[in-house]
Amino acid sequence: MNWKKNDLVEVTIEDMSEDGEGIGRAEGYTLFIKDAVIGDRVQAKIMKMKKTYGFARLVEVLGASESRVKPLCPVSGPCGGCQLQSLSYERQLAFKEEKVRGQLRRIGGFENPPVEAVIGMEQPWGYRNKAQFPIGRSKDGRIIAGFYAGRTHSIIETPRCFLGDPVNEKVLKIVVDWMEAYGIAPYEESGHRGLVRHVLIRVGEEIGDGRQVMVCLVINGKRLPHKEELVQALRTLPGMTTISFNINTENTNVILGREVRHLYGDGYITETIAGLRYRISPQSFFQVNPEQTGKLYDVALAYAGLTGRETVWDLYCGTGTITLFLARQAKWVRGVEVIPSAVEDARENARANGITNASFYLGRAEEVLPRFYEEEKERADVIVVDPPRKGCDTALLDTILAMGPERVVYVSCNPASLARDLKYLCAGEYELVRVQPVDMFAQTVGVETVVMLSHKKR
Ligand code: SAH
């Protein structure tokens, strides 16, 4: 290969990577090009080279693909939040289906996985109920809010994110104005100095004058100066339901610290999905796309195949969202979750929805389930898992194999760890029966997948 760094090349994009980069070949050398979409003919500049492949930057689209669309957001290029805004939504769905199939093949070793067409969104914008904006300073010293540029921690100032609720912009303006007015410093990662790190905003269902709004400032300190003034200013926004701050004094990339202090309201907002009402606290996990969440849980419920007689375990249950869906059609459901406030929310959610056949346990799934199995000879007809990106611990998978429920329903936000875990379970007594991707994250490369595994001998 005769290329070198900074060379300009012309390539046709023939494929897309899992991260959404266009893939093309220049005289046989494979290049990954961000913001280039399948079918494009582009000019690109080689930025970084490895032996068998390299990365290039898109310079100009010479011939636009039929799947190329104009991004809605002016900072869709530099911002690390979206990767697929230049790709038509229809094509995004095809990309996600292929991503799931590809991982199941490559990592899972399933030759022909039964992947259904992705369940798409009706309106692929403005769907997110949660946003976490880092706060920092511009080069000229102004306080700014925005999102991190891809793979970095430099903040791209974004007055508005098109995936989120319009109220975000208003909240950020109030917070930034308040910081400027009272000389409150944004956090600086390099020197671990300054106070305000992030602004977490969540919106819930409509009650009264609009969607409920939660604001939580993440601060590098234990005290928030001029908090009354902040609360007063935020309360002018319709729907403002709860205001709090979260203490994170660690030198870390993790956004939230452990402790939350409430400044206004009851500390939570609510969302209703398929007739079940859930309360959401700043620290609890809750799916970011409520419209698609209902569809996702419907699939999970259908795959669980409940008749009312089953004992079900829902591992990684968060605030008990899936648990309560299952409880309506099972004999008993046990949820396991590691975050204490989420378990409290889960119990409260069960109570508030009149559900009496669900119980919740605080702890790691890979410790709680083995303990119940070994000490109490606990059995299960159906086990549902919905782990974070890294997937399930082997100790948990081993216990599932030992318990041998009739069906396992695996809900996953990461096809790679999903494929790895399915391979493990299917090397045991399980068979991969159905795979349904659901689009919860339009414009991004994220894809949620629900899988049904069935025990071969039951
Ligand atoms: N099923 C829920 C939450 C899924 S997100 C829903 O649909 O809303 C994954 C959840 O797993 C998070 O709430 C996270 O706090 C929890 N978690 C992470 N590691 C865990 C572990 N080892 N054991 C139990 N729960 C864990």
Side-chain angles (χ1 to χ4, degrees), residues 339-352:
I339 304 236
S341 66
V343 174
E344 279 165 36
D345 283 354
R347 291 188 179 128
E348 176 54 30
N349 285 336
R351 198 198 56 75

Side-chain angles (χ1 to χ4, degrees), residues 71-85:
L72 204 57
C73 172
V75 298
S76 74
C79 176
C82 293
Q83 302 81 26
L84 299 180
Q85 277 202 28

Side-chain angles (χ1 to χ4, degrees), residues 197-412:
R197 301 173 74 126
H198 275 84
V199 179
L200 162 67
I201 308 169
R202 280 179 139 162
V203 293
E205 65 190 323
E206 256 183 66
I207 290 188
D209 52 359
R211 294 180 77 174
Q212 302 166 79
V213 182
M214 164 194 292
V215 176
C216 178
L217 259 59
V218 184
I219 63 168
N220 174 38
K222 296 212 153 85
R223 235 177 44 81
L224 189 66
H226 298 283
K227 49 181 192 279
E228 294 79 15
E229 290 86 345
L230 175 69
V231 169
Q232 200 180 13
L234 285 172
R235 282 187 60 191
T236 60
L237 293 176
M240 186 55 60
T241 307
T242 169
I243 305 168
S244 57
F245 66 93
N246 172 279
I247 298 171
N248 185 356
T249 54
E250 307 277 312
N251 199 345
T252 167
N253 280 340
V254 178
I255 295 178
L256 290 180
R258 263 190 225 111
E259 198 182 331
V260 174
R261 304 231 172 121
H262 297 295
L263 300 172
Y264 170 72
D266 292 332
Y268 62 87
I269 54 175
T270 59
E271 182 61 82
T272 296
I273 293 172
L276 287 163
R277 191 144 191 238
Y278 299 104
R279 79 177 204 187
I280 307 168
S281 311
Q283 285 158 302
S284 303
F285 176 90
F286 196 83
Q287 288 284 356
V288 297
N289 181 336
E291 182 199 328
Q292 292 300 93
T293 299
K295 299 180 193 168
L296 178 79
Y297 293 167
D298 277 342
V299 176
L301 184 63
Y303 283 8
L306 303 176
T307 62
R309 292 191 296 269
E310 293 81 5
T311 299
V312 183
W313 280 80
D314 178 23
L315 307 169
Y316 312 88
C317 70
T319 56
T321 33
I322 298 180
T323 329
L324 302 191
F325 253 66
L326 298 165
R328 289 199 290 199
Q329 297 188 23
K331 185 166 138 223
W332 199 275
V333 189
R334 302 182 190 282
V336 182
E337 162 63 44
V338 78
I339 304 236
S341 66
V343 174
E344 279 165 36
D345 283 354
R347 291 188 179 128
E348 176 54 30
N349 285 336
R351 198 198 56 75
N353 286 292
I355 288 188
T356 51
N357 59 337
S359 36
F360 295 93
Y361 305 92
L362 175 64
R364 289 175 197 276
E366 62 273 24
E367 288 167 12
V368 175
L369 191 69
R371 196 167 68 228
F372 268 84
Y373 175 60
E374 280 149 27
E375 290 170 14
E376 322 222 353
K377 304 277 174 288
E378 173 76 18
R379 50 172 296 286
D381 299 296
V382 178
I383 294 183
V384 178
V385 298
D386 183 7
R389 290 197 71 77
K390 68 173 196 259
C392 297
D393 196 284
T394 325
L396 175 63
L397 297 177
D398 286 336
T399 307
I400 294 176
L401 287 170
M403 289 172 81
E406 201 172 317
R407 275 180 301 285
V408 175
V409 179
Y410 196 131
V411 183
S412 162

Side-chain angles (χ1 to χ4, degrees), residues 1 11 13 88 113 123 129 163 178 228 270 282 301 311-312 315-316 342-343 365 386 390 404 406 430 434 443 454:
M1 169 257 311
V11 269
I13 305 301
S88 72
Q123 174 49 270
N129 60 9
L163 304 190
W178 165 83
E228 294 79 15
T270 59
L301 184 63
T311 299
V312 183
L315 307 169
Y316 312 88
V343 174
D386 183 7
K390 68 173 196 259
E406 201 172 317
Y430 285 91
R434 302 188 70 175
Q443 317 307 333
S454 169

Side-chain angles (χ1 to χ4, degrees), residues 43-60:
Q43 187 185 55
K45 187 175 184 175
I46 300 183
M47 304 304 289
K48 199 169 152 186
M49 301 186 74
K50 309 236 176 187
K51 213 179 214 159
T52 53
Y53 64 92
F55 297 91
R57 192 159 53 83
L58 178 63
V59 177
E60 197 188 337

